[in-house]
């Protein structure tokens, strides 16, 4: 049984850990995440929306679609982990990367924890 937080074996034998929640089963593969990330999308329809994609390595994966200035033309898609309490990027096998996020008339480079399959893709 995978747990989000560590509980010693003695605590498990005694009936579990207070506050520990089971990690949800994976619903996404590396191939599915990569395919979604590469697929075209309707910038107008997706602008400013968050899409829940599923679970990968025990963490929720989402796609955010921020836009600024000349919307919807500058809408981008950022697929990343939405880490829960106690989860870390390294702990779910993710990679910390910088992604361009539209901000005003420019962009801001912001950190995201992404599935490793997306770590080396071009901006």
């Amino acid at each position: 049984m995978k747990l989000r937080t560590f509980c010693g074996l003695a605590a498990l034998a005694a009936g579990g850990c207070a506050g520990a929640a089971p990690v949800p089963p994976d619903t996404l593969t590396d191939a599915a995440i990569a395919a979604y990330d590469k697929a075209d999308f309707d910038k107008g329809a997706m602008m400013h929306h968050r899409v829940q994609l599923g679970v990968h390595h025990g963490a929720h994966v989402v796609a955010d679609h921020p836009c600024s200035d000349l919307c919807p033309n500058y809408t981008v898609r950022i697929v990343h982990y939405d880490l829960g309490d106690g989860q870390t990027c390294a702990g779910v096998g993710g990679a910390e990367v910088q992604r361009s996020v539209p901000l005003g008339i420019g962009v801001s480079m912001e950190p995201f924890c992404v599935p490793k399959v997306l770590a080396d893709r071009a901006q």
Side-chain angles (χ1 to χ4, degrees), residues 36 41-43 45-51 53 62-68 74-80 102:
Y36 184 87
F41 66 99
D42 182 333
K43 292 181 177 189
M46 297 307 294
M47 168 175 74
H48 304 301
H49 283 83
R50 172 175 271 199
V51 178
L53 300 178
V62 298
D64 286 322
H65 299 83
C67 187
S68 182
Y74 289 169
T75 300
V76 298
R77 178 184 328 182
I78 303 170
V79 176
H80 63 97

Side-chain angles (χ1 to χ4, degrees), residues 54-69:
V55 177
H56 183 253
H57 295 172
H60 293 277
V61 179
V62 298
D64 286 322
H65 299 83
C67 187
S68 182
D69 194 33

